[in-house]
Amino acid sequence: MSDLATELRAALTAMLARIPVDMQTPITAPDAAVWGAVVEAGFTGVDVPEEAGGHGGELGDALAVLDSLAEAGAVTPYLEHALLASWLAGSVGLPLEGTTATVAVIDDGTIRTDGDRILLSGSVTGVAHVDDVDTVVVLMTGPDGPVITVVGREAPGVEITNGADLRGVSYGDIVFRDAEATFSAHSPVDIEDLRRRGALAYAVALAAAARAVRERTVRYASERTQFGRPLAKFQAIQQRLAEMAAQTTLMETAARAATEAASNDPVAAHAAIAAAKVVTSHYATEVASAGHQIHGAIGFTSEHSLGRFTSALWTWTDRYGTEQDWATSLAGEILEAGTDPWDLIVGLGSPDPS
């Protein structure tokens, strides 16, 4: 962890100590006070290029902020806005100051001009925080390569079908019918780059949520008594806690290795991120199940903090690729690219194509 990441964690911890987080699940609304403080502190531009209004830091520093927010249970659009939308816009030098954005990927869309107007058509499913933002940063594959387009959520031609995930966070579909965009440019990054970065971000978030479940469950098992002694004294509970601790450690280790590879070793990054998403998605449901089994009925109440994290574990496993998707990707590196399986295991990654 870099010195900046350590400082960011400390600053965010102090900030969250002053701003209480409502832990009811499903939520009634995102944590507006936390989000306002995060924006005001400049945390949303940590790894955004300076020419796009950011601080030009490292990806690992921005992920440290995400990790802290996820571990605290704060519900904000930080992942979508800071790590994805602002990163995309920043790659073409466009600041997203004064706005909150989410990101959308259109596999089959069109962009046309009508005089000075830029008109976008296409559809996308599963957009996180779609009801909590005012801007959508769209990445699509055009005839000449990937294109980044920015559209206001309230722009004419934008049709939103809104829903919610298990945490109560807005999660919906968007149809663009000649929606007027405020910006469009050829993108230096493609959909696969975005998918990989999104998978890494959610792997980090999953590991943080699992850590929160582990800490709360260990504390509850130590404090709750049954038949005259703490739950943690029963052998079956001890075994379940040990399994949870091992699974959470695997998730944290995989996420940390992927973060380091993405920041320092692009050659090994793809395999490390794929492995991290496989590991975190695989163990997320097991950690959530163990937490609820040990907490018993109280853990299922909407007021108990456990649900904030277990619902995140259940919700985030499929974001930016399922466990099976990324396992298939890893297998492809071995079977198609000729990567030595041992190199993947020890972290050498794929051979340099150059």
Side-chain angles (χ1 to χ4, degrees):
M1 183 186 300
S2 70
D3 291 340
L4 178 57
T6 302
E7 293 174 4
L8 289 170
R9 283 181 183 275
L12 193 56
T13 299
M15 178 189 298
L16 291 170
R18 299 192 305 270
I19 307 173
V21 176
D22 181 2
M23 300 301 286
Q24 180 170 319
T25 307
I27 65 169
T28 55
D31 294 301
V34 174
W35 179 239
V38 167
V39 172
E40 184 178 357
F43 291 158
T44 56
V46 172
D47 77 325
V48 175
E50 293 181 2
E51 57 269 25
H55 305 300
E58 297 181 358
L59 172 59
D61 299 328
L63 288 171
V65 176
L66 172 65
D67 181 271
S68 296
L69 288 171
E71 186 178 12
V75 177
T76 73
Y78 182 84
L79 192 157
E80 285 73 24
H81 174 88
L83 284 163
L84 301 180
S86 291
W87 168 72
L88 275 177
S91 71
V92 290
L94 178 68
L96 290 182
E97 296 176 354
T99 185
T100 300
T102 189
V103 66
V105 175
I106 298 179
D107 294 318
D108 185 16
T110 60
I111 296 177
R112 67 183 183 89
T113 57
D114 181 11
D116 293 333
R117 298 194 305 159
I118 304 169
L119 303 177
L120 171 68
S121 294
S123 62
V124 59
T125 60
V127 180
H129 288 282
V130 67
D131 202 35
D132 308 319
V133 302
D134 43 44
T135 302
V136 182
V137 178
V138 178
L139 179 64
M140 61 175 286
T141 301
D144 299 319
V147 178
I148 292 173
T149 305
V150 180
V151 184
R153 183 184 179 279
E154 302 292 338
V158 178
E159 302 174 7
I160 297 176
T161 302
N162 200 6
D165 63 20
L166 289 175
R167 297 185 304 154
V169 175
S170 172
Y171 192 73
D173 305 334
I174 307 177
V175 176
F176 301 96
R177 302 186 191 277
D178 276 344
E180 186 168 354
T182 59
F183 176 88
S184 186
H186 290 290
S187 172
V189 298
D190 60 21
I191 291 176
E192 184 58 30
D193 294 327
L194 175 62
R195 177 174 175 266
R196 189 158 45 243
R197 186 179 174 98
L200 172 58
Y202 273 107
V204 169
L206 282 165
R211 186 188 316 125
V213 171
R214 179 191 64 198
E215 297 305 314
R216 281 164 172 75
T217 304
V218 169
R219 183 167 60 248
Y220 179 81
S222 300
E223 297 172 351
R224 173 68 172 172
T225 58
Q226 192 73 27
F227 303 111
R229 55 177 174 163
L231 287 177
K233 295 295 184 180
F234 291 88
Q235 186 174 4
I237 299 297
Q238 291 174 351
Q239 181 176 351
R240 202 72 174 103
L241 289 172
E243 291 173 350
M244 175 192 285
Q247 291 161 352
T248 303
T249 300
L250 284 170
M251 294 171 72
E252 293 176 308
T253 301
R256 184 165 55 250
T259 298
E260 292 174 357
S263 300
N264 304 311
D265 189 357
V267 174
H270 177 79
I273 292 171
K277 194 58 168 65
V278 169
V279 170
T280 55
S281 291
H282 177 77
Y283 288 117
T285 54
E286 297 190 29
V287 170
S289 295
H292 278 292
Q293 287 169 356
I294 294 174
H295 274 83
I298 192 173
F300 285 97
T301 60
S302 61
E303 296 84 4
H304 199 283
S305 64
L306 184 69
R308 174 63 54 90
F309 304 100
T310 55
S311 61
L313 291 174
W314 289 321
T315 298
W316 293 340
T317 55
D318 293 347
R319 299 274 172 92
Y320 287 89
T322 64
E323 173 192 348
Q324 184 60 49
D325 292 335
W326 285 105
T328 301
S329 179
L330 273 176
E333 289 201 32
I334 296 171
L335 299 176
E336 298 172 16
T339 302
D340 188 323
W342 183 248
D343 289 344
L344 287 177
I345 293 172
V346 299
L348 296 180
S350 305
D352 190 340
S354 61

